[in-house]
Structures are given as C-alpha cells and as structure tokens.
Amino acid sequence: MDNNIDNVNKSDKKRRTAIFALIVAAMMITSTVLGFVGGFAANKFLGSNKADGVTSTSIPVASTTSSESGNMNVSNVVKSVKNSVVSIECESQSQAQINPLYDSGSSTSKSAGSGVIVTTDGYIVTNNHVVDGADKITVKTADEKSYTAKLVGVDSETDIAVIKIEAKGLKSATFGKSSTLEVGDEIVAIGNPLGELSGTVTNGIVSALSREVTIENETMNLIQTNASINAGNSGGGLFDKNGLLVGVVNAKAAGNNVEGIGFAIPIDTAKNVIEQIIDYGYVKGRVTSGLTLIDILDENTARQYSVNELGVYIYSVAEGSNAEKAGLKSGYIVKSVNGTKVESASDFKAVIKKLKVGDKIKVTVSNGMSEGSVEYKLSEKK
C-alpha cells in the first residue's frame, strides 16, 4: 500500500431504499448477528465450481402461456403445486465483532425460510439471504421428510441461492413466464411463514411489475403483490392462476400502518441464475471485490462490533483474493472507491456493478489514524 497505509493496524446505517416512504425489509434472517458471514458458508459448501458434475440443466417450463391455459381456482392451484414447496431451517455460528483485538466468542443461531423444488432430483431454489451464513441447512418436504442440504451456489445480486438434497422423484415446479403477468392478475404464495407454518397458502393479485427495491444494499426489480407475506415466506413460490411458478418471494414492506405489500423475484430473472448455479456453482461474469462490507453508522452498532469510529468497515476479505494480496484486512474503514466517497456498502457496490472482470479499482481505507490506497483487479465471483 502507499500513502502510509502500511501503518494501519495489522492485528449491512443499514440502508434499505424506501418505497412510498416504506422500509423494505428482507424477510428471513439467517444469523442473529446481521447475517454478514455468508461468504464463509459459500466457501464451505461449494467445494468446486461445477455442481455435482452437472453439465446441463433441465427445468420444467410451461409450453403454454397464461393466456393459452385454462385457469384453475385457488384450491386447484394449491393441489397442483404444494408438494413442490419446502421448508428450510438454517443453523449458523456467528461472531459479532470485527475488531481483531476483541473476542466476543461465538453463538449458534437458527432461522427459517422456504424453497421451491426445481428438479425432480433435489435442486431447490431459495433466497441468498435465507441461507447466508448457514453452517447447516435442513429441508423438510411437504410429506414431512427431512434432508440435510448442500449449498450449491448463491447470487447476492438477485438474492437467489440453490441448494441440493439427495432425493429422487420429487415434485418440481413448472416455470411460467413473469413477462406475461399483468397488474391485477391473480397469484398464490406458498411458504413457511414464521418458520413454523409450513405449506401456508395466501392469495392476492399482482399489484405492480418491475418495482425497484433495494434490499441488503442490492437494487433489484421485483413483482409487487398484496398476498400476505411474513417472515419465513422468503424463498417460497409465487404461482399464477395456472399453477406456474412466476416468482420467488423475497421481501415485504414493513412500517407503521403498512399492510399487503410483498415482493418476489420474477422467474424470468431467476431462471437463468438458477441454471447457471446448478451448472457451474456460480453466475458467470459477476465481478467481486473480494470484500464483505458492513455499515456501522450508529453508536449501538459500533458498540456491538467493538469499534470506536463510525463508517463502512471491511468485515472480511476473501482468502486468496486480489484484495487480500493488495493488503486489505478486516477492520479497515473504506473511505472511497475509484474516487467515489463511500458512505454505505451500497455506495461501494454501485461502483463495482458498473465494472467488469479484470478492471482495476482503487480503494482508500483508514484505521482512524492514517489513510492509504491500494489498486487491484476485480475477479470473477465464483
């Protein structure tokens, strides 16, 4: 590092974009300590870039569109798809500190979510935030059978994750086309609200399409629905009136006097991501800085993480990454990237998203006493 950065000690304000003045909140929490350790779980479970030797993906896709199919009532939709929705329970070891001089110990936390079976041999789509940081993932199918799942891969940009259980002859969902949806279309959501009510069905309509929402510092375009969505629904299915999967539930709006505002990832967005994760273990072309950042923008959070200064901190640096080779370490405060001031982790990500694999970035960091900058190349996120 230059500019006195060698003097640095060697030893996600959590922003969520408001929509109509509502706070958009990710539905599931996989770690009671803010879920900032997802990278560790991904490295632990992935093992290799190619998932189980799979060379191509066969996901059932409807041969007709909604307008060409006969509509079913809600009970018939549920009968046709309920066995394709699963409950997910995650356990994680968390450590709520980033100060290398302070050891607060670790604790085990549990959380729950939902998932949708996408292949008959056990591939399941859920949300990245459902399995983020999980050391153990347990899946329960509609027939009450339990399986230990392996994490195949994740894509934080779309909040999609794929897990795998060892089972055959499962009921997989048939993919529809979210592009054919219209505002006012009837939909059905099935999931595991509160982590205790597996197979719960709610229904409603499509309230809006391509609604821009920011969740966990990632901005995405989602389907908005008035179907009841609660904690634990994340990763569950959003089905149209023909029983076709048109979305993966991932968020709701929360706040005083807020009701009936839920969100789902359009299946047209999710499908390619799911296929690439199954085939390769990751989404090709995604760039990574090698850094996991955390917003510490209030005194309570600062105390929780045992730091004295507010700012955007490096929570972890990927082992063997270009960031590590450049000298960046956990506990550094990020001041800017490529000349853009960093006031939140989303500011940093906004810059990275515009770049491609092989581009150079310049990161300025501080330990509260001195500042310095490093340059390194972005690599492909695997």
Side-chain angles (χ1 to χ4, degrees), residues 201-229:
V201 177
T202 58
N203 71 314
I205 62 169
V206 174
S207 302
L209 298 167
S210 196
R211 184 73 80 191
E212 187 173 286
V213 181
T214 298
I215 302 170
E216 298 294 335
N217 301 311
E218 295 287 355
T219 300
M220 54 194 79
N221 292 308
L222 304 176
I223 300 167
Q224 181 182 330
T225 177
N226 69 339
S228 181
I229 303 297

Side-chain angles (χ1 to χ4, degrees), residues 54-69:
V54 175
T55 56
S56 63
T57 305
S58 178
I59 294 176
V61 179
S63 58
T64 57
T65 63
S66 296
S67 60
E68 297 171 327
S69 301

